[in-house]
Amino acid sequence: MTSTPGSAGRTAATTPRPSERPARVRRFSRAERWVHRTTAALMLLCVVTAACLYVPDLAELVGRRHLVVTLHEWSGLLLPVPFLLGLASRPFRKDLRRLNRFGPHDRRWLRAVRRRDRDPGARPAGKFNAGQKLYAGWIAGAVLVMLGTGLLMWFTHLAPLVWRTGATFVHDWLALTIGIVLIGHIRMALADPEARRGMRTGSVERPWARREHPLWDPDDD
């Protein structure tokens, strides 16, 4: 096979050797980080104001119940907005498709978690592992349910009393569940500084990506 003079030199110049690749790789775009931070801030405001409404000691300490109710209602109503705006970002849409795909390696990851097997080789993952996919799907569904039940509680003329009573029950107990799940999410984030750095700066160390997400090729992103 013949080659055009100079072609080998151009290929070598444009394709870095593995040893010459950057130490850090991009994991999240600016739009994705904005969506995460804004959603987290709104969710935190929802949880804090809900606690101030339902825990008597906190309610007495904070006071100004009307202001707390207003903050809670509007922060909940605005929760889907960052996600909807994020759909304008191509990297965000690409990662959504990844989160929506569940493959054989994800089932293997879950089996390893169930066995408490902490060997990285037993937990294969693409850009997102199975736990992150399940969390993303669950929290998205929970936000929709909270939004629907919250609207029924806010606009009392939308439904009969029995519907509003059921909506209140679901809203209250799901809020408690969301609080517990968020605590678990935060604890896992605190245990992985590099994952937090990736969400804060958009990039992670290449060795971390290779160890924690071996099926993800950041150079093809």
Side-chain angles (χ1 to χ4, degrees):
M1 178 177 178
T2 60
S3 60
T4 305
S7 61
R10 286 195 299 271
T11 302
T14 56
T15 306
R17 298 175 182 176
S19 60
E20 298 173 350
R21 290 176 179 174
R24 299 188 67 80
V25 296
R26 193 180 83 153
R27 182 160 174 82
F28 296 113
S29 67
R30 183 177 298 178
E32 289 176 293
R33 301 199 306 274
W34 177 86
V35 170
H36 183 270
R37 291 169 184 170
T38 310
T39 302
L42 289 171
M43 182 69 76
L44 180 62
L45 184 57
C46 270
V47 171
V48 170
T49 51
C52 292
L53 291 173
Y54 286 96
V55 179
D57 290 343
L58 286 177
E60 184 177 350
L61 178 65
V62 175
R64 307 193 66 178
R65 182 177 178 84
H66 178 71
L67 175 61
V68 174
V69 169
T70 301
L71 289 174
H72 183 75
E73 291 172 342
W74 281 101
S75 59
L77 193 62
L78 292 173
L79 256 179
V81 173
F83 172 86
L84 295 175
L85 293 177
L87 292 176
S89 165
R90 182 177 176 274
F92 183 73
R93 296 195 305 271
K94 186 175 182 179
D95 278 350
L96 280 182
R97 288 193 292 270
R98 285 171 165 151
L99 286 168
N100 286 329
R101 291 172 183 165
F102 213 84
H105 61 280
D106 293 309
R107 289 187 283 273
R108 182 181 169 193
W109 190 95
L110 290 173
R111 286 195 296 269
V113 171
R114 191 166 57 246
R115 297 193 308 266
R116 297 186 179 180
D117 186 350
R118 299 186 179 277
D119 181 8
R123 299 187 179 189
K127 186 171 184 179
F128 302 103
N129 62 44
Q132 292 168 327
K133 292 178 180 181
L134 290 176
Y135 171 79
W138 186 87
I139 203 71
V143 166
L144 290 176
V145 173
M146 292 295 284
L147 182 61
T149 54
L151 288 173
L152 288 176
M153 296 164 60
W154 189 1
F155 299 101
T156 56
H157 62 280
L158 292 178
L161 177 61
V162 65
W163 286 25
R164 298 199 303 273
T165 302
T168 302
F169 178 84
V170 172
H171 195 89
D172 291 352
W173 282 103
L174 185 55
L176 178 61
T177 307
I178 289 175
I180 295 172
V181 171
L182 286 177
I183 290 173
H185 180 68
I186 293 171
R187 285 186 60 185
M188 293 186 69
L190 291 175
D192 194 339
E194 190 61 26
R196 295 200 313 274
R197 190 174 298 115
M199 185 54 71
R200 187 175 68 252
T201 67
S203 65
V204 294
E205 293 284 348
R206 188 179 291 274
W208 178 91
R210 192 160 45 238
R211 183 182 68 251
E212 299 294 333
H213 302 271
L215 303 182
W216 171 46
D217 184 1
D219 296 315
D220 286 343
D221 240 357

